[in-house]
Amino acid sequence: MYDPNNWRSSIGQTRLQKRAILLRRIREFFWQQGVMEVDTQLLSLASISDPHIEVLTTRAKCQGQEQTYYLQTSPEFAMKRLLCSGSGDIYQLGKVFRAEEQSRRHGIEFTMLEWYRLGLDQWQLMAEIEALLVYICAGVFAGADVSNVDVSKNVSKNSALRCEYKSYAEAFQTYVGINPFTATLANLQQLAHKQTGFGLSESNRDTLLELLFSTLIEPKIGLVQPCFIHSYPASQGAFAKVNAYTQADDHTQTDSRDQPTAARFELYWRGMELANGYDELTDAAEQAKRMTQETQLRENAAKLARQTDHRLVAALEAGLPACSGVALGVDRLLMVLTDSQHIDEVVPFGADQV
Amino acid sequence: MAISASDMRNGAKVMIDGDPCAVLDNEHVKPGKGQAFNRLKLRNLKSGRVWERTFKSGDSMEAADVMDTDMEYLYTDGEFWHFMATDGSFEQHAADATAVGDNVKWLKEQEKYVITLYNGAPLAITPPNFIELEVTETDPGLKGDTANGGSKPATLVTGATVRVPLFINIGEVLRIDTRTGEYVSRATGK
């Protein structure tokens, strides 16, 4: 497996340059917006409680004591502690780690862009993401920067980038033909089973909805222009405020107007999830409650226990200013911009080459 | 032995709904915030049916006691087709009509086949990609017509019927691609 001769980067000079342009454009954009760059530590003494994400750890001796450090899965908690410390608008561009299966779209180490904007709601933040994408595309596709720029098939120089917006309910109505808020469990089980062979024994609605989303919706949205999915069920809210959905642009789902939704959104482009954002939860008690629930889920599933990040809860108690935040997968964005099929094609060294 | 869905490599053999299946592809599916899945592409080794099925990443399946062995075809007694291992053990196995299936038309004595054993009994046989067989019946050859188009049916010694060029005669040995059932060339006479 470890072949000493396999030392040369295989991504090629053009992609390496495009990667550099992408990183530079991101920094330029936030410089112009007056958002400060921060670089919180990759290693932390506490970690996330998410039941579905596994974390890489490392150990080191510190003044004679063995200490476990968690590699960050996203800089979210550290950045929120900075926000609570009074940092103002901040962004971070760097490496994050997840102990996951490596595949076409997943690496155990990848590059994430995460940022927080005080006083912006999720709609304003989505607009800023769109502006960032426009700014990046102008750079990555500009002939002045690199020779042989292969303009993406889908967003050409002539058709301006313009994001689409769909609510979670609308997406299900269009591509699955059901209302995700009111469909019965039996209905979801049948549908999932029919589409994937899995589902009849699953009693968790959200698991079934996520499977249907991945199978039937994800491959069909954002095929040309990037597509925002917003107004998730409250039960899939993670760290989002609940019931912030007030936009009147949801034509199809009058019923779901009364359903509790979370101020969470995702960005999809060319069949891939690129970003996940929230109008951030600022309520410390609610945050603590969700973390306890997640820890319980991990325990029930006999998953590895981790040190809960109580410092985040303490920081929220001191006060997180109203803000929205989003994390964006930079390698995946570069895949889209360079028409690459595998994440290994856009990083300096592929998974088996590091 | 149980294998979890996330650990299944291509080529792994597992029991699904009571049948032995081979994993042809395994795609990791991870929704933004939720449970991870594995979308497996499977081949049922009994029926040959290929289909896709999704599993939770943590779910595990029993490994199937399936083994591929090289064996030489010996003879048929009308009910069973008899094979012998070429690994020096001289172990013999009798395959029934279900295991032999359509491949009966490619069975030639002393030729080597891959026999898939399931719980020690032949489940399926795979002929070599190319096989050399004698023509037993075809219309007389057209002399000189070696280049341009035109084909005719020919029956081979195993009973298989293939389309061959017009210049082929009875008694000639032909190289056939068993995957497509197509004529490749005249045998090189090895």
Side-chain angles (χ1 to χ4, degrees):
Chain A
M1 164 125 189
Y2 186 79
D3 176 6
N5 294 318
N6 192 12
W7 61 270
R8 190 185 291 278
S9 169
S10 52
I11 73 164
Q13 190 66 8
T14 308
R15 285 211 166 107
L16 209 53
Q17 283 171 336
K18 280 194 183 170
R19 195 174 169 88
I21 294 166
L22 173 60
L23 298 177
R24 196 191 75 213
R25 293 294 277 195
I26 290 170
R27 290 199 160 94
E28 279 173 4
F29 179 84
F30 287 111
W31 178 262
Q32 287 163 13
Q33 304 294 317
V35 179
M36 177 169 71
E37 177 164 11
V38 294
D39 58 340
T40 63
Q41 280 85 342
L42 302 186
L43 299 178
S44 171
L45 292 170
S47 185
I48 55 166
S49 33
D50 191 305
H52 301 302
I53 298 179
E54 295 311 313
V55 177
L56 291 177
T57 58
T58 186
R59 294 175 73 81
K61 265 219 169 118
C62 196
Q63 297 183 332
Q65 285 244 308
E66 272 280 301
Q67 190 63 258
T68 297
Y69 289 95
Y70 299 91
L71 276 82
Q72 65 177 9
T73 55
S74 108
E76 178 171 5
F77 290 6
M79 290 180 78
K80 282 185 175 168
R81 284 166 56 197
L82 284 178
L83 291 163
C84 294
S85 311
S87 67
D89 295 330
I90 48 176
Y91 80 95
Q92 180 148 322
L93 178 58
K95 300 290 190 187
V96 296
F97 305 85
R98 294 186 186 186
E100 278 179 7
E101 222 27 56
Q102 315 208 50
S103 65
R104 203 165 76 70
R105 306 163 177 179
H106 299 269
I108 55 172
E109 172 181 347
F110 56 100
T111 302
M112 185 180 270
L113 166 66
E114 182 151 340
W115 76 99
Y116 292 87
R117 298 289 258 132
L118 304 194
L120 260 55
D121 66 16
Q122 53 168 335
W123 308 104
Q124 292 166 307
L125 185 60
M126 283 188 252
E128 184 166 81
I129 296 167
E130 185 166 345
L132 171 69
L133 290 177
V134 168
Y135 186 76
I136 287 170
C137 287
V140 176
F141 295 148
D145 286 306
V146 274
S147 49
N148 302 324
V149 178
D150 53 302
V151 174
S152 164
K153 279 181 225 151
N154 294 313
V155 178
S156 71
K157 280 182 199 159
N158 304 325
S159 79
L161 184 139
R162 193 153 180 255
C163 295
E164 291 165 11
Y165 291 77
K166 269 189 172 52
S167 75
Y168 191 80
E170 246 182 294
F172 266 88
Q173 199 68 55
T174 309
Y175 299 106
V176 190
I178 58 162
N179 179 329
F181 293 91
T182 57
T184 63
L185 179 65
N187 190 352
L188 294 177
Q189 287 174 329
Q190 288 295 342
L191 258 172
H193 178 75
K194 194 174 143 223
Q195 294 295 333
T196 70
F198 173 86
L200 294 182
S201 60
E202 180 59 61
S203 57
N204 185 322
R205 288 181 64 91
D206 288 320
T207 300
L208 292 164
L209 287 171
E210 280 162 349
L211 179 59
L212 287 170
F213 194 98
S214 302
T215 310
L216 296 176
I217 301 176
E218 205 175 294
K220 298 202 184 110
I221 52 175
L223 294 183
V224 178
Q225 296 282 7
C227 177
F228 283 111
I229 301 290
H230 57 82
S231 310
Y232 278 71
S235 51
Q236 294 175 29
F239 301 125
K241 276 184 187 157
V242 168
N243 262 337
Y245 181 43
T246 51
Q247 290 271 327
D249 62 355
D250 191 344
H251 312 297
T252 54
Q253 291 296 313
T254 42
D255 305 353
S256 60
R257 194 71 47 100
D258 310 323
Q259 303 292 333
T261 56
R264 169 187 169 197
F265 63 86
E266 294 247 12
L267 176 64
Y268 287 88
W269 201 1
R270 310 264 300 266
M272 266 194 301
E273 184 211 358
L274 280 190
N276 179 32
Y278 311 114
D279 193 332
E280 299 291 345
L281 179 69
T282 51
D283 181 341
E286 176 66 20
Q287 178 80 48
K289 195 180 103 193
R290 291 190 202 177
M291 282 162 85
T292 309
Q293 282 169 352
E294 288 189 333
T295 306
Q296 190 60 50
L297 282 174
R298 287 193 68 81
E299 253 182 67
N300 296 347
K303 288 187 172 168
L304 213 60
R306 297 191 285 247
Q307 172 64 52
T308 309
D309 201 334
H310 298 298
R311 284 176 179 157
L312 174 67
V313 177
L316 293 190
E317 274 164 9
L320 176 67
C323 64
S324 289
V326 62
L328 185 148
V330 174
D331 306 309
R332 284 187 177 184
L333 176 58
L334 191 57
M335 281 174 73
V336 173
L337 298 181
T338 58
D339 229 344
S340 304
Q341 295 308 307
H342 200 293
I343 196 161
D344 283 353
E345 295 169 37
V346 297
V347 289
F349 295 101
D352 60 346
Q353 270 199 312
V354 291
Chain B
M1 193 183 72
I3 314 177
S4 87
S6 52
D7 290 341
M8 274 178 213
R9 295 287 158 263
N10 297 355
K13 312 279 197 320
V14 288
M15 297 300 295
I16 289 172
D17 298 338
D19 281 352
C21 299
V23 177
L24 303 181
D25 193 33
N26 184 351
E27 194 189 354
H28 182 63
V29 181
K30 178 83 175 80
K33 283 284 164 193
Q35 167 73 45
F37 296 94
N38 287 82
R39 195 177 290 145
L40 300 185
K41 194 173 177 192
L42 298 153
R43 175 188 286 124
N44 183 314
L45 294 171
K46 273 188 175 168
S47 66
R49 187 170 82 96
V50 171
W51 86 110
E52 280 188 359
R53 184 152 160 191
T54 303
F55 295 88
K56 272 187 176 177
S57 291
D59 287 353
S60 60
M61 276 142 275
E62 243 351 88
D65 178 15
V66 170
M67 205 173 60
D68 287 338
T69 349
D70 286 340
M71 292 197 191
E72 190 180 296
Y73 172 58
L74 299 175
Y75 65 96
T76 176
D77 58 20
E79 192 183 354
F80 291 100
W81 286 259
H82 297 268
F83 294 83
M84 183 175 70
T86 56
D87 59 2
S89 68
F90 303 108
E91 191 183 321
Q92 290 196 21
H93 283 283
D96 63 13
T98 317
V100 170
D102 278 350
N103 287 316
V104 68
K105 63 174 185 275
W106 305 125
L107 284 181
K108 178 186 162 192
E109 286 169 22
Q110 289 169 9
E111 187 69 52
K112 243 206 256 176
Y113 298 81
V114 175
I115 310 296
T116 304
L117 296 175
Y118 168 51
N119 291 334
L123 178 70
I125 71 164
T126 312
N129 291 344
F130 298 101
I131 192 166
E132 294 184 354
L133 297 170
E134 187 185 330
V135 178
T136 54
E137 209 184 305
T138 191
D139 291 338
L142 292 173
K143 221 176 165 87
D145 188 3
T146 52
N148 306 329
S151 71
K152 59 181 181 177
T155 306
L156 307 175
V157 64
T158 57
T161 309
V162 294
R163 302 290 305 179
V164 299
L166 297 176
F167 57 79
I168 296 296
N169 282 307
I170 291 174
E172 284 193 86
V173 178
L174 308 182
R175 188 172 165 79
I176 309 294
D177 187 331
T178 60
R179 295 162 296 185
T180 57
E182 281 169 10
Y183 163 89
V184 179
S185 64
R186 281 172 163 150
T188 48
K190 62 163 184 175

